Amino acid sequence: MDYDWFFYLQLVSTFSVLIPIGIGGIYFQEIDSIFRYFIGFLIVGFLVDFAGWIFYLTASGEANHVVRYAYNLFEPLFLIWFLGQFSSNTKLKFLLKNAWIIVLPLWLISVFNNDFFPIYKTSTQIFLAFTSCYCILEVVEKGSKIMNSLGFWVLFGIFFYNFCTFFFMSFVNTALGLDLWYLHNIVNVTTNLIYFFGFYFSFRFSGLRSRS
C-alpha cells in the first residue's frame, strides 16, 4: 500500500473513535451506567492511540511501549468484565470473573518475551470473540427489538473487532503483519461505526436505558 494512504488511514483509524464517543457523550446522562463505563473505555483507547502519535513524533519509543503494554492488559480485562454484565449464565459469569488469573500471567510473559505477544493477543481476542458471540445470543433471546438495543450493537462491535483482528495479531511481529496492518485499521474504523450506529439507533428508538 502507498505510504501516504497508509498514513492517512492510520489517522482516520485513530480519530474515528471520536464518532461514538461524541454521540455517546451527547446522551451520556440518558444511558445506563454500564455504557458510560464503555464510553470511558473508548476514551482511554483514543488517548493511548493519540499518545502513540506524540511518542512517534518525539521519538519516544520506550514510553510508547510502556503505555501500549499497559493498555494491552487493561483492554481484555475491561472487556471481560463488561461482557460479564450481560450474561445470565452463572458458569460463564464465574469464568469471566476469574479470567484475570489466566490473563495476567500471560500478559506478564508477553512483556518479558516479545515473541509470546502474538500468542497473548490472539488467545485473548479469540476468547473475547466467542464470549461476546454468546452474549449476543442471550440478548437476542431476550427480545425482538434488536435495532434499539444498545447492548446488541456494542456486543456486536466487540465481536466484530476481535473476530476480524485476531488473525492479524498472530502476525503482528512479522513483515506480513506490517503489510496487513491497513486491514486492521479498516476493521477498527468499521467497529467504531458500529458503536456509533448503536448509540444513534438506540436513542432514536428510545432504548438507551436497557442493557438488552
Side-chain angles (χ1 to χ4, degrees), residues 45-155:
F46 169 72
L47 293 177
V48 169
D49 283 344
F50 187 73
W53 285 101
I54 296 176
F55 294 142
Y56 170 76
L57 294 174
T58 58
S60 303
E62 184 174 346
N64 187 42
H65 284 153
V66 171
V67 173
R68 285 291 176 181
Y69 274 116
Y71 184 73
N72 286 330
L73 176 63
F74 167 75
E75 180 182 36
L77 289 182
F78 175 85
L79 291 178
I80 287 171
W81 170 82
F82 183 81
L83 293 174
Q85 311 307 306
F86 288 87
S87 178
S88 58
N89 186 305
T90 54
K91 292 182 179 179
L92 179 59
K93 290 179 76 70
F94 176 82
L95 175 62
L96 294 173
K97 184 178 180 179
N98 296 280
W100 66 270
I101 299 175
I102 299 176
V103 173
L104 183 57
L106 291 179
W107 173 77
L108 286 173
I109 296 173
S110 73
V111 170
F112 295 102
N113 183 3
N114 192 50
D115 292 335
F116 188 78
F117 178 72
I119 299 175
Y120 167 72
K121 287 296 292 184
T122 54
S123 59
T124 54
Q125 288 188 316
I126 290 173
F127 177 75
L128 289 168
F130 279 97
T131 305
S132 57
C133 182
Y134 181 87
C135 291
I136 289 172
L137 293 177
E138 285 199 66
V139 170
V140 171
E141 290 176 354
K142 290 179 181 178
S144 59
K145 298 181 179 180
I146 300 302
M147 291 294 289
N148 69 337
S149 171
L150 181 54
F152 167 79
W153 285 96
V154 173
L155 291 172

Side-chain angles (χ1 to χ4, degrees), residues 20 23-24 27 31 39 150 195-203 208:
I23 191 171
Y27 307 126
I31 59 178
I39 292 174
L150 181 54
Y195 295 148
F196 167 77
F197 285 124
F199 281 106
Y200 173 76
F201 286 126
S202 297
F203 178 76
L208 277 173

